[in-house]
Amino acid sequence: MKILVAGDFCPSYRINDFLQKNNFKGLFANICLVTEQADYSIVNFEFPIVKNRNYARPITKCGPNLLGSESSVAAIRYAGFNCCTLANNHILDQGKQCCLDTIEVLCNSSIDTVGAGKNATEAERVLYKDLCGETLAIINCCEHEFSIADETSAGANPLNPIRQYYIIQEARKKADYIIVIIHGGHEHFQLPTIRMQDTYRFFIDVGADAVVNHHQHCYSGYEVYKDKPVFYGLGNLLFDHASKRSGCWTEGYMVSIDFQKEKISFELTPYKQCTEDAVGVILMNTEEKEIFAHKIKELNVIIGDILALRNNLDKYYSESAKEELLMMEPYTDTIWYQFSKRGLLPKFLKGEKKLRIENHIICESHREKLIYALKKYDEKYTESYKRYRARMGKWPNLKHPQLFTEKIQWLKMNNRKPEYTIMVDKYAVKEYVANIIGKQYIIPTLAVWEKTEDIDCDCLPNQFVLKTTHGGGGCDVIVCKDKRKFDKEAALVKLTTSLTSDLFKKFREWPYKNVPKRIIAEKFMQVENAEEGSDLKDYKFFCFNGKVRFFKIDFDRFVEHHANYYSPDGKLLPFGEADLPPVPSHVENMPENLAEMIQLAEKLSVEQSFLRVDFYNINGLIYFGELTFYPASGMGTFTDENIDLQLGSYLKL
């Protein structure tokens, strides 16, 4: 049994011109062969049919009220589609009667419908189809917006995992195969949310054989979960937009799912639609398919990696947070609040703004963005601002940052790339760095454990180093120079404490938010003929927009900790940290490979606004230490207060 599923169809802009002329061939001729090869073809009908303008009652909502004519149905029949999913955010746009008229017109044209009805009971009805001697159950639902049916009113079937659980269980008794088709996700964002992934996997867990999603107006990737396919976004099938005639809006794929008892397989059919040059659906050529397949593969990699997926979501939410908060901004100041309370100020919660807020609360995907934005607001003003003021004695200027410390705070809040989590993970960063500069610069890893109780010292050599992968500042580092004298219990206490620490919560350093908390054992590195008790010398290179401006060398860490700063040519600079006062009389012999270290640091920081790259120089060999985005969490003080401004001038945001 081969089932073809396609994304959103809407007769917008130029598409209407074709429909009015009954030019269905110009819209769908390219895909007729694909639908003919399927036993049953399904498309999302993203609008209500208006048979008579007198019956149209556009609902009050934010966003456009879509509509179409009966000619759209003829186009769907020409294209070869047998079924229309109606659970979407537009099926109720023209009121209850037009929603019911849409169902009637489609049914009278011998096209099945699922996902909408005269009430909630009808809307959640499962569509059963006998095909190829077997029964297919089709379940269709959508995220909550303005289209949802209730006990007495027409509309769409809402996404409700509890209800869908019972429906899937009942369908399992009647059908050989079950497909769940959902309308949800973030518009114009090519990845699912964690909630979507959890929910769709849950549908597989409780009996579904395939899950398909659309709505985002762009394609997403897919995964095979427990041998069952889950597609997170098909993209538009045919949907014109005056300002979006290139990019992801114009690309998508249909998926043909072959349900067999031995194995469920599938095939993607990628296409372009509603570009500047052409309106109808056009199948991609061989070269275009290869490029598209590569893009899908990249999305699939992220979908299959929970950390990467979460980081991409965080980046997307961070970029949209400002817009989310703008619509929520009330009168928060005490005095203004009192005026507002007495009715002396205009109401902000009315009209479209009220509707927009309502939509962002009831819709699952919108609500996730709003919650993130509200948390970001707290992060920005409650945490970072207050910590900076307590430490520096003044509020940071983040609208127009000038100081180095201000710009670091700005980067903490606004520059959030998924790879940053890997770059601060003391285990994962090794592979990242090795791929850029070579594995010869990496200190060997001896073991990695999830919990302290998993630590097996017996498998380690006589000398080794233990530390947590998510820590900072070197406070969690344990050095064992002789296993016979090693205090394992004290080490476990220290590591256990470190595993409970959270640099994100403490300092709002975002890259650490999703770093897996693990323990890593490394090879013990030692300088030949070094004095007893001496520590390894590391070189901390401060890279501004990919260029080393200066570096720092710490010394006498375990006696009276100091640090001197040097220019790239090894000359002592006339400033330092207030907490680690410089010692001008301290003579430091620069290593012969200083230029190589600078070259490597710049190679690692080439795409970063700011990055500190640390190296050890051991017996004439260079070893990577760590990457730091926010030295002293962006709250370091200098011996000269003008230095903060000078360093800030180096950092271009």
Side-chain angles (χ1 to χ4, degrees):
M1 177 195 309
K2 285 188 177 181
I3 307 300
L4 182 76
V5 186
D8 303 343
F9 167 58
C10 180
S12 56
Y13 293 97
R14 295 173 297 172
I15 299 170
N16 260 320
D17 297 335
F18 283 75
L19 295 176
Q20 290 172 7
K21 299 174 182 178
N22 291 326
N23 185 6
F24 309 142
K25 183 178 180 180
L27 296 175
F28 291 119
N30 274 261
I31 67 169
C32 288
L33 183 61
V34 181
T35 56
E36 287 173 4
Q37 293 174 345
D39 298 306
Y40 196 72
S41 297
I42 307 168
V43 66
N44 180 54
F45 209 70
E46 184 87 349
F47 61 97
I49 292 171
V50 177
K51 295 195 299 184
N52 189 324
R53 289 279 184 172
N54 294 326
Y55 295 144
R57 299 288 186 273
I59 64 172
T60 303
K61 58 175 289 191
C62 60
N65 290 77
L66 303 181
L67 59 87
S69 65
E70 294 179 69
S71 62
S72 300
V73 179
I76 288 296
R77 290 190 64 187
Y78 172 88
F81 289 103
N82 311 108
C83 175
C84 288
T85 53
L86 301 180
N88 54 62
N89 55 314
H90 288 289
I91 193 62
L92 202 60
D93 276 7
Q94 301 299 323
K96 302 171 187 177
Q97 187 57 53
C98 289
C99 173
L100 298 176
D101 287 348
T102 303
I103 298 172
E104 181 185 9
V105 172
L106 287 167
C107 290
N108 289 341
S109 301
S110 300
I111 295 177
D112 298 327
T113 66
V114 63
K118 65 182 180 181
N119 52 43
T121 301
E122 287 291 319
E124 72 174 16
R125 173 183 58 85
V126 178
L127 175 62
Y128 293 96
K129 293 299 298 184
D130 293 324
L131 303 164
C132 306
E134 296 179 302
T135 302
L136 174 70
I138 304 170
I139 299 169
N140 181 215
C141 57
C142 64
E143 293 185 355
H144 291 67
E145 292 200 50
F146 296 97
S147 62
I148 300 303
D150 60 28
E151 292 78 5
T152 59
S153 295
N157 181 34
L159 173 66
N160 183 336
I162 297 174
R163 287 295 305 153
Q164 272 90 56
Y165 165 79
Y166 290 110
I167 291 168
I168 292 171
Q169 292 295 295
E170 184 64 25
R172 195 75 272 169
K173 302 174 184 176
K174 304 176 182 179
D176 298 288
Y177 302 102
I178 301 171
I179 181 171
V180 181
I181 303 175
I182 307 155
H183 198 74
H186 295 301
E187 292 183 329
H188 319 303
F189 182 61
Q190 289 188 271
L191 290 167
T193 68
I194 304 297
R195 171 192 54 81
M196 289 170 65
Q197 188 174 62
D198 288 344
T199 302
Y200 298 0
R201 287 178 174 181
F202 170 74
F203 290 156
I204 297 292
D205 287 336
V206 299
D209 296 293
V211 178
V212 181
N213 184 80
H214 40 59
H215 171 61
Q216 306 101 315
H217 301 302
C218 59
Y219 62 87
S220 183
Y222 61 86
E223 67 176 339
V224 177
Y225 174 72
K226 295 185 176 179
D227 298 323
K228 308 289 180 65
V230 181
F231 304 92
Y232 289 105
L234 302 184
N236 297 315
L237 174 66
L238 194 63
F239 202 142
D240 193 23
H241 196 293
S243 63
K244 296 180 175 67
R245 289 174 179 168
S246 63
C248 292
W249 179 280
T250 63
E251 296 180 344
Y253 63 89
M254 297 177 288
V255 59
S256 177
I257 307 173
D258 191 1
F259 292 98
Q260 301 290 339
K261 284 185 169 58
E262 300 81 20
K263 183 181 180 182
I264 298 173
S265 58
F266 58 88
E267 182 180 1
L268 308 187
T269 302
Y271 55 80
K272 298 182 294 183
Q273 60 90 35
C274 293
T275 64
E276 289 287 358
D277 302 323
V279 179
V281 184
I282 301 175
L283 301 183
M284 291 185 181
N285 59 37
T286 302
E287 184 180 354
E288 291 170 333
K289 284 182 180 179
E290 290 178 358
I291 297 171
F292 187 84
H294 179 70
K295 293 177 181 176
I296 291 290
K297 186 178 179 180
E298 288 181 334
L299 292 169
N300 291 350
V301 170
I302 298 172
I303 290 169
D305 184 340
I306 184 66
L307 182 60
L309 179 58
R310 190 178 298 280
N311 284 339
N312 275 273
L313 281 166
D314 281 348
K315 183 175 182 290
Y316 169 70
Y317 289 152
S318 179
E319 291 171 350
S320 60
K322 186 176 180 180
E323 183 180 349
E324 293 291 315
L325 292 177
L326 281 174
M327 75 169 178
M328 296 292 292
E329 197 64 49
Y331 300 108
T332 55
D333 183 86
T334 303
I335 296 175
W336 289 112
Y337 175 78
Q338 292 300 325
F339 278 119
S340 178
K341 188 177 179 180
R342 290 167 172 78
L344 301 175
L345 293 172
K347 300 292 185 183
F348 85 98
L349 195 63
K350 63 180 183 180
E352 186 174 345
K353 187 161 191 169
K354 178 179 178 296
L355 292 169
R356 194 169 295 277
I357 292 173
E358 176 190 343
N359 193 36
H360 279 63
I361 292 173
I362 64 174
C363 174
E364 292 84 348
S365 291
H366 288 312
R367 185 166 62 246
E368 287 174 329
K369 286 175 68 178
L370 180 59
I371 290 171
Y372 181 94
L374 292 170
K375 287 183 176 179
K376 181 178 174 68
Y377 181 94
D378 176 73
E379 169 193 333
K380 180 176 179 179
Y381 291 98
T382 304
E383 298 293 336
S384 296
Y385 267 48
K386 287 185 176 180
R387 285 187 178 275
Y388 187 93
R389 187 175 187 272
R391 170 67 174 168
M392 311 297 286
K394 57 186 175 183
W395 295 107
N397 180 359
L398 297 185
K399 289 185 177 180
H400 305 287
Q402 299 296 320
L403 305 178
F404 173 66
T405 53
E406 289 175 338
K407 290 185 176 183
I408 293 295
Q409 301 305 318
W410 188 94
L411 289 170
K412 284 166 72 173
M413 298 172 196
N414 297 284
N415 187 31
R416 300 183 170 186
K417 297 180 179 180
E419 60 267 29
Y420 289 179
T421 296
I422 295 171
M423 294 168 72
V424 300
D425 183 329
K426 290 180 174 56
Y427 175 63
V429 71
K430 293 188 177 188
E431 182 179 358
Y432 173 86
V433 171
N435 289 334
I436 298 174
I437 63 174
K439 62 182 180 181
Q440 67 269 29
Y441 300 105
I442 307 301
I443 296 175
T445 298
L446 303 176
V448 181
W449 301 284
E450 300 291 332
K451 304 183 293 293
T452 53
E453 51 263 38
D454 297 334
I455 295 176
D456 181 11
C457 290
D458 293 336
C459 72
L460 299 176
N462 188 52
Q463 296 181 320
F464 56 86
V465 175
L466 297 177
K467 58 186 176 183
T468 53
T469 57
H470 69 290
C475 300
D476 63 335
V477 178
I478 297 166
V479 178
C480 175
K481 296 183 179 181
D482 187 344
K483 223 168 26 174
R484 295 169 300 178
K485 302 177 182 178
F486 181 57
D487 190 342
K488 185 178 179 180
E489 293 302 317
L492 291 179
V493 171
K494 188 174 183 179
L495 291 169
T496 301
T497 302
S498 181
L499 287 174
T500 63
S501 68
D502 192 323
L503 287 182
F504 171 71
K505 290 182 178 179
K506 189 175 181 181
F507 298 113
R508 288 310 196 230
E509 296 187 10
W510 178 84
Y512 291 95
K513 182 179 180 181
N514 297 315
V515 175
K517 295 183 178 182
R518 297 171 290 187
I519 304 137
I520 183 174
E522 290 183 342
K523 180 181 179 180
F524 175 75
M525 310 296 289
Q526 189 174 20
V527 177
E528 294 176 357
N529 303 317
E531 295 181 5
E532 182 68 26
S534 63
D535 55 316
L536 288 180
K537 186 177 296 182
D538 58 341
Y539 299 78
K540 304 178 187 294
F541 296 92
F542 290 70
C543 305
F544 295 79
N545 303 102
K547 182 176 177 62
V548 172
R549 290 283 187 170
F550 52 84
F551 63 95
K552 166 189 173 185
I553 303 177
D554 292 85
F555 56 95
D556 294 337
R557 292 192 186 197
F558 305 110
V559 184
E560 190 174 353
H561 196 176
H562 295 275
N564 283 348
Y565 282 75
Y566 301 87
S567 62
D569 59 0
K571 294 180 180 178
L572 182 68
L573 294 173
F575 70 86
E577 300 172 36
D579 294 340
L580 302 173
V583 182
S585 61
H586 178 83
V587 178
E588 193 74 51
N589 295 318
M590 295 297 151
E592 294 182 359
N593 52 13
L594 175 62
E596 183 183 356
M597 284 195 290
I598 291 174
Q599 183 182 19
L600 294 173
E602 291 182 343
K603 195 171 183 179
L604 288 169
S605 64
V606 67
E607 296 183 356
Q608 309 303 328
S609 300
F610 174 82
L611 187 66
R612 198 191 78 197
V613 183
D614 297 0
F615 289 111
Y616 296 105
N617 209 309
I618 307 172
N619 305 320
L621 299 176
I622 300 170
Y623 292 96
F624 168 75
E626 64 178 349
L627 302 176
T628 302
F629 288 98
Y630 322 113
S633 200
M635 300 179 208
T637 54
F638 301 94
T639 51
D640 184 346
E641 61 182 15
N642 294 321
I643 295 299
D644 202 0
L645 181 62
Q646 180 183 335
L647 301 189
S649 69
Y650 298 155
L651 209 171
K652 309 300 181 185
L653 298 177

